[in-house]
Amino acid sequence: MDIETVKIRADKVQVFYGENHAIKDVDVNILDKTVTAFIGPSGCGKSTFLRCLNRMNDTIPSCRVEGGITLDGEDIYDPRVDPVQLRAKVGMVFQKPNPFPKSIYDNVAYGPRIHGLTRSKAELDEVVEKSLRRAALWNEVKDRLQAPGTGLSGGQQQRLCIARAVATEPEVLLMDEPCSALDPIATAQVEELIDELRENFSVVIVTHSMQQAARVSQKTAFFHLGNLVEYGETTQIFTNPRDPRTESYITGRIG
Amino acid sequence: MSGRSLFAKDARTAARNRAERRFRAFGFSAILLALLALVWLLVSILTAGAPAFRQTFLTFPVTLEAKLLDKSGIADPAALSKVTTTTYGKLLAKALEAEIAARGIEAGDMKSKDFAKMLSEESAATLRNMVLADPSLIGQTITFRALASGRIDGYYKGRVTMESAALDKNVSPAQLALAERLKEAGVLTITFNPGFLTMPDASDKRPEAAGLGIAIVGSFLMMAVVLVLSLPIGVAASVYLEEFAPRNRWTDLIEVNIANLAAVPSIVYGILGLAIFINFAGLPQSAPIVGGLVLTLMTLPRIIIPTRAALKAVPPSIRDAALGVGASKLQTVFHHVLPLAMPGILTGMIIGLAQALGETAPLLLIGMVAFVRDFPGGFFDPAAALPVQVYNWTTRGDPGFVERASGAIIVLLAFLILMNAVAIFLRRKFERRW
Ligand SMILES: Nc1ncnc2c1ncn2[C@@H]1O[C@H](COP(=O)(O)OP(=O)(O)OP(=O)(O)O)[C@@H](O)[C@H]1O
Ligand SMILES: [Mg+2]
């Protein structure tokens, strides 16, 4: 594996929620310009591990992270790192859609505004349109950009959150089950977006759909009870799993 | 198909329905009882207090004779101010007597002194102030609207009757009979009394002249102090405790203390204010600044608690969303959390202010109960306060003050209703309809 292309390196990561040991000894290298899928049964720690990668776990008082995680070789848990700056680089789409109770436009424009990414209103309009197009939402909302984002359907809200996350042009995009509330058409559009993002960014996607993992990802990590059981090329994981637990999960026997 | 028909109610369902009906009946009677109590309260206060807004006046021409009021003849202010209200009182009584004679109204065997007693002593002072403010009036004949005495006024409000007047040394049945004839002639009128809202308090003997002017100004100044201090301090403290402070033993201790402070009897804050602001800091007694500071201390915990509740009620997913796109903690709070909590914060704020507006006990301790005749020029001048004025009037002897006290309660309630209306309006305005 070429060291140049490693974007995020996790080294013996442990996560505790109080006494609960949620992530145990996870080592993983997430490559640049690659889609990595995290699969595993519910409660195995996929979201928890994902949230370590942009330090969203900092907001949970009981949560403790040990081990090392580096982004482009820099330790993201170093005391010199401002998590705010990190999160501008590592964007996130949450498991439950959480649009701001503001207009659709303001939802998408919020990130670029606080990071000062645009210089004029026209430029901002452009970013908003581009982001909404990438999230396959533009056609549905282009006539009501000033309508409240919370007035959209669940699936539309999720795509709005995706648009909001890509508007800041993050280097890594963490997506926690982005398609769980979407219909097959919107799912296909989001998968297309993920594929497109791969040209420039690194994408990590948590999914419960084996087909989706097989379709969009190049690398797959299988988590089970807080352990990273198997990590490798997606084709290899799905056709020729090395661990019996992986095999039983992808064939539907545990989970 | 097995089992019972859907149309047949089983015993459990029937019991559940009975329990629900019982609960509804309890709830309904509780509300009814509360409403009845409220109606009773309002009716009794309104009937007792409404007369305070109407007042008996006597209107007649007065010739401001120069030989009495301006002996020097040069309208020298110093000389003019030497003329006392007694002179003006005599002048008024003479003018009233002359008017009665001129209109040919039967006055019986009343003496000059008896005419004077039909007028409020305050009238003479009012006329004197008029002349001092505008000495060119001297020598002219003006139409003067004089306050009738408290007893005459009371006769028209049902406090005084012919029988009680016969036993009263302040009023005689003959005076009341004359008042009746004056009313027929249009000299005596009962009209709306703006002075109740604008005039200062009056002494024990003159309920007819007592007004709420200084109390309203004083309460207003105190509310301004409370608002300016407790809104920023309360909101800042709540935001810090809720969003930034670490959760440890110290913040737990602070939390418990805030909850306890909200329950401390208000008079304790009065003692604290007396010790700190007056005895230690040397601020003047009876001043709105001190009242405002004491009420701020009292109001702060009562604002912090609902504000924190409003902040807590903002869904954590909104904070995650903002942090997730790289907003800082402060941006998250000010761009997303505070606007969402605003309706709750404002409601808490206005309820806190309303409580402060009606608070009496701590103000008694810092001297707001003093008798003040001059309008305060600022936060450091002596003033009164509405609830204290109510308390003050209820302790006075003259029955005329009962109506004044109830009238003051009406004014206080009107202010409270106004504040609640503002709270509802702001709530609506800030409420996210999505
Ligand atoms: N905020 C929290 N506080 C305490 N424990 C938590 C918290 N979040 C997650 N956990 C625990 O950590 C473990 C992993 O949870 P996590 O949310 O990462 O699972 P997941 O793999 O994302 O599951 P799902 O597929 O259902 O989303 C669970 O046992 C859960 O109970
Ligand atoms: Mg999850």
Side-chain angles (χ1 to χ4, degrees):
Chain A
M1 203 185 303
D2 188 354
I3 191 82
E4 297 288 310
T5 61
V6 174
K7 189 71 183 169
I8 296 179
R9 182 192 298 278
D11 186 27
K12 296 224 176 337
V13 173
Q14 322 273 349
V15 182
F16 301 86
Y17 290 109
E19 291 299 297
N20 178 9
H21 197 171
I23 291 286
K24 299 159 195 158
D25 254 346
V26 170
D27 292 305
V28 76
N29 289 331
I30 290 164
L31 304 185
D32 202 9
K33 306 196 199 314
T34 307
V35 178
T36 307
F38 286 0
I39 59 171
S42 188
C44 67
K46 304 180 296 294
S47 300
T48 301
F49 185 65
L50 201 68
R51 289 166 64 91
C52 291
L53 303 182
N54 69 343
R55 290 185 60 175
M56 278 305 287
N57 281 335
D58 290 14
T59 61
I60 302 170
S62 71
C63 184
R64 208 171 78 242
V65 179
E66 287 172 8
I69 299 178
T70 58
L71 174 72
D72 294 329
E74 293 175 331
D75 181 6
I76 64 169
Y77 282 88
D78 190 285
R80 282 169 298 179
V81 171
D82 187 338
V84 170
Q85 235 168 317
L86 171 71
R87 290 180 202 131
K89 280 190 171 190
V90 184
M92 184 157 201
V93 177
F94 293 82
Q95 191 163 352
K96 272 182 263 160
N98 55 356
F100 299 128
K102 295 177 185 291
S103 72
I104 292 170
Y105 184 95
D106 287 339
N107 261 284
V108 183
Y110 184 68
R113 269 191 191 134
I114 58 170
H115 296 303
L117 299 183
T118 55
R119 254 162 279 116
S120 65
K121 173 89 174 72
E123 218 175 310
L124 188 60
D125 288 348
E126 223 169 274
V127 168
V128 169
E129 178 176 344
K130 185 172 152 216
S131 308
L132 285 168
R133 275 191 197 285
R134 287 170 123 183
L137 190 60
W138 175 252
N139 287 330
E140 285 156 73
V141 300
K142 62 170 183 263
D143 303 319
R144 47 173 176 145
L145 288 176
Q146 294 310 321
T150 39
L152 298 171
S153 79
Q156 288 173 327
Q157 288 188 14
Q158 189 62 294
R159 277 177 283 155
L160 181 60
C161 294
I162 294 173
R164 183 175 66 192
V166 298
T168 48
E169 299 280 339
E171 295 171 21
V172 179
L173 187 60
L174 310 175
M175 303 174 106
D176 199 346
E177 296 185 43
C179 299
S180 58
L182 301 191
D183 65 25
I185 300 170
T187 302
Q189 286 166 326
V190 170
E191 287 177 5
E192 220 171 277
L193 161 72
I194 293 172
D195 217 44
E196 180 203 316
L197 290 174
R198 181 163 65 96
E199 286 167 21
N200 299 309
F201 315 125
S202 167
V203 179
V204 183
I205 176 171
V206 173
T207 176
H208 281 293
S209 156
M210 299 304 122
Q211 292 90 331
Q212 182 170 55
R215 276 196 305 269
V216 299
S217 70
Q218 290 78 49
K219 290 273 188 181
T220 297
F222 171 63
F223 287 80
H224 188 239
L225 300 176
N227 295 302
L228 177 64
V229 174
E230 196 167 345
Y231 175 57
E233 298 291 329
T234 299
T235 41
Q236 173 256 310
I237 296 272
F238 279 95
T239 54
N240 184 21
R242 294 200 185 99
D243 196 289
R245 284 171 293 179
T246 317
E247 185 178 4
S248 30
Y249 181 72
I250 58 177
T251 53
R253 265 178 281 142
I254 57 167
Chain B
M1 287 284 279
S2 67
R4 242 168 319 185
S5 151
L6 269 179
F7 297 131
K9 223 174 264 165
D10 63 27
R12 281 187 71 84
T13 312
R16 268 203 299 253
N17 291 350
R18 271 199 306 280
E20 181 173 333
R21 270 197 300 277
R22 267 199 308 277
F23 180 78
R24 281 178 185 224
F26 281 140
F28 185 75
S29 5
I31 298 283
L32 203 69
L33 215 64
L35 276 182
L36 276 179
L38 182 68
V39 168
W40 190 325
L41 176 88
L42 284 181
V43 166
S44 69
I45 285 177
L46 285 179
T47 46
F53 293 91
R54 299 176 65 73
Q55 202 62 46
T56 312
F57 292 100
L58 292 160
T59 313
F60 50 89
V62 180
T63 305
L64 300 168
E65 290 167 55
K67 68 176 179 346
L68 279 179
L69 305 181
D70 185 19
K71 293 197 183 92
S72 62
I74 52 166
D76 171 34
L80 287 183
S81 63
K82 285 224 178 69
V83 182
T84 61
T85 51
T86 319
T87 313
Y88 283 92
K90 279 184 192 144
L91 187 76
L92 274 176
K94 245 174 56 191
L96 178 63
E97 194 176 353
E99 172 75 359
I100 290 170
R103 287 184 180 245
I105 297 169
E106 166 69 55
D109 58 350
M110 287 199 4
K111 297 191 199 64
S112 192
K113 203 181 90 205
D114 298 322
F115 290 113
K117 279 208 132 175
M118 290 181 73
L119 298 172
S120 165
E121 290 168 40
E122 194 69 22
S123 295
T126 313
L127 183 65
R128 178 168 176 269
N129 289 341
M130 256 169 80
V131 171
L132 291 185
D134 180 11
S136 71
L137 289 174
I138 293 176
Q140 294 182 28
T141 298
I142 60 167
T143 304
F144 185 68
R145 198 170 80 142
L147 271 172
S149 77
R151 290 301 196 281
I152 301 281
D153 184 50
Y155 177 63
Y156 288 104
K157 291 172 177 171
R159 277 201 308 271
V160 177
T161 60
M162 287 292 180
E163 294 81 55
S164 74
L167 307 168
D168 192 337
K169 67 178 173 27
N170 289 317
V171 68
S172 67
Q175 285 172 325
L176 295 181
L178 177 61
E180 278 292 284
R181 287 192 289 278
L182 285 171
K183 193 176 174 213
E184 266 164 48
V187 175
L188 182 147
T189 48
I190 303 159
T191 55
F192 174 66
N193 175 26
F196 182 57
L197 297 177
T198 57
M199 287 193 311
D201 189 14
S203 69
D204 276 5
K205 294 273 171 50
R206 305 175 187 173
E208 70 278 1
L212 282 172
I214 291 179
I216 291 175
V217 172
S219 275
F220 182 79
L221 291 177
M222 285 195 297
M223 285 306 109
V225 173
V226 176
L227 183 70
V228 163
L229 290 180
S230 66
L231 181 66
I233 297 178
V235 171
S238 313
V239 167
Y240 176 74
L241 282 175
E242 201 53 50
E243 305 284 338
F244 293 95
R247 296 264 177 280
N248 57 28
R249 244 183 307 149
W250 293 109
T251 42
D252 283 351
L253 193 72
I254 290 173
E255 202 154 311
V256 169
N257 272 309
I258 289 174
N260 283 336
L261 281 177
V264 165
S266 57
I267 196 149
V268 176
Y269 287 98
I271 294 177
L272 185 76
L274 181 66
I276 294 182
F277 299 126
I278 295 179
N279 293 342
F280 178 72
L283 289 170
Q285 287 209 2
S286 315
I289 182 75
V290 178
L293 287 171
V294 168
L295 293 178
T296 302
L297 284 184
M298 193 197 77
T299 311
L300 265 176
R302 299 179 186 182
I303 286 176
I304 290 176
I305 289 172
T307 302
R308 291 188 63 184
L311 291 171
K312 240 186 219 130
V314 174
S317 64
I318 297 294
R319 295 183 178 85
D320 281 352
L323 294 172
V325 290
S328 69
K329 189 95 197 170
L330 197 69
Q331 286 172 324
T332 304
V333 169
F334 279 89
H335 295 169
H336 301 285
V337 179
L338 262 188
L340 283 173
M342 215 51 189
I345 294 176
L346 286 173
T347 309
M349 181 75 219
I350 293 199
I351 290 174
L353 273 187
Q355 278 180 334
L357 178 65
E359 201 54 68
T360 321
L363 301 183
L364 296 179
L365 290 182
I366 54 154
M368 295 294 285
V369 74
F371 181 71
V372 182
R373 280 288 287 173
D374 297 315
F375 276 87
F379 290 98
F380 292 86
D381 295 342
L386 272 173
V388 181
Q389 193 71 70
V390 173
Y391 164 78
N392 196 341
W393 282 346
T394 53
T395 59
R396 293 200 187 163
D398 195 301
F401 280 108
V402 174
E403 135 206 325
R404 299 276 146 175
S406 299
I409 291 176
I410 294 178
V411 173
L412 189 58
L413 285 180
F415 276 115
L416 291 179
I417 291 172
L418 189 76
M419 285 170 74
N420 277 315
V422 171
I424 292 170
F425 170 76
L426 289 176
R427 223 194 145 87
R428 288 268 160 80
K429 195 168 144 75
F430 281 97
E431 207 144 63
R432 307 275 146 162
R433 263 173 289 279
W434 49 53

